[in-house]
Amino acid sequence: MGRGILGFGAYVPIGRLQRSAILAAHGWFAPGLKGQAKGEKAIGNWDEDSVTMAVEAARDALGERDRGDVASVVLASTTHPFADRQNAGIVKEALNLADATGALDVAGSQRAGTSSLIAALQSTAPGVTLHLAAERTTPRPASEREMQAGDAAAAMLVGEGDPVARLLGSHSVTVDFVDHFRGAGEAHDYDWEARWIRDEGFTRVMAPAIAEALKAFGVEGGAISRFLVPVAVKGVPEMLARRAGIPAEAVADTMAATIGHAGAAHATLMLAAALEDAKPGETILLASFGQGVDVLLFEVTDAIAAHRPRLGVSGWLARRMADDNYLKYLFHRGLLQLDRGMRAEHDQKQPLTALWRNRKAVMALVGGRCTRTGTIQFPKTEVSVNPNDHAIGTQEDYPLAEVPARILTFTADSLTYSPAPPSCYGNIEFEGGGRMMAEFTDVPASELEVGRELRMMFRVKAIDELRQFRRYFWKAAPAY
């Protein structure tokens, strides 16, 4: 017993952009990209952002766990969709957590994920901290970063109990080494020369920090079972392992060929992947880089045998759809302007008063259940929809986000505007009762069929481009 990581989870979007498609578009201008044009990278759909991905990672980690002991939510990201609206608070609402839940956004560095994880692990506050890290970047077209960057999220449950991994020690170094930066309000990062970053940053800043950490921990490099280095540059993890005396076989796959580099989320994403198949007694050394270095040493406990996330990194990686439509990727990132037609010319203004009054239904998909007849419905109303008993004032809250559903009817509408036409929607029925009209996501129109099993996913409903406000709601996606 003690404080540590009580559970973990992850989320990787279903889309996989083929790097060869990027080269095909830009090879004439940037032939140097050819050496990086292998494999694929994970890309969020148009209706995904760091908040929606964090929600999915949290659901993966929480599973069937009682959410009542979650005392706070932390969301680390350098791509929060809101600069002045608490992004972690949106996650809290989507997960239907109690209002007496703390929330904190952490940003400003690629180390945001590990620095905030250290703080959570060292905290003495009661209750469980739901630690999240998520990233959905907009790299400049034809850049090396565009080839490397991927979208993903990870979740760690931190608190007192029977942890699956204990923190044996942490060591941090902070230096204003600017390998890249992004100004406030800018869409793209500005990157410095890669060789200089490797020679000065990884070799002269990161390597000594790891050596200092091992010395402080009183651990020899040879005792490390798994070495996690969330660095996109090929060969750097192996070089750092050699310098620290860590066995080559301990160096973990960075998942560069299948996901890409998920920025501030990549360190905890690699940690989640390592914990999936870790054995009791193993030691995990995690070193993240970004204006300094965070080094964390974990010991895996016997409790790991009894814990598995719903899908985990491996499960989400298996849930994939290859995509070679580079123009669609640019459009969904806001980097390509298309004529969207007159049907897209309607005001997406969100009445904030209505959102507040209906926040449980909109944000957490909470419906109603009649306490007299057991009838389930969405949305919850004062009058029951039971045809034989229109009972008044008998409904209690009935969360539907985690309830399986199936398709009753569907339409693929090519007239209605959609960023990913056709617009697919239809009637769905929840297991145990309750129906609603829902949009479908992450499924081609050709694969829709009556009776198909579904799971609900928290997504962007629409974006008010005039006021830059994002509206969120739940959509139906194919079941795992």
Side-chain angles (χ1 to χ4, degrees), residues 255-267:
M255 299 179 285
T258 52
I259 294 178
H261 189 270
H266 207 75

Side-chain angles (χ1 to χ4, degrees), residues 323-376:
D323 191 346
D324 60 2
N325 192 334
Y326 179 66
L327 290 180
K328 182 177 71 173
Y329 164 80
L330 290 180
F331 178 56
H332 288 172
R333 286 296 196 276
L335 300 173
L336 177 66
Q337 296 301 315
L338 300 177
D339 182 359
R340 292 180 284 183
M342 288 186 290
R343 290 186 176 88
E345 296 174 358
H346 58 280
D347 197 341
Q348 295 282 0
K349 182 177 181 178
Q350 169 68 65
L352 299 180
T353 48
L355 177 60
W356 167 251
R357 287 193 299 268
N358 300 290
R359 64 189 177 111
K360 280 197 171 184
V362 174
M363 303 297 283
L365 202 67
V366 174
R369 177 184 178 277
C370 178
T371 56
R372 191 155 74 190
T373 65
T375 302
I376 299 167

Side-chain angles (χ1 to χ4, degrees), residues 12-28:
V12 181
I14 195 171
R16 303 287 192 275
L17 181 63
Q18 304 303 298
R19 291 189 172 97
S20 57
I22 302 175
L23 179 66
H26 298 302
W28 64 274

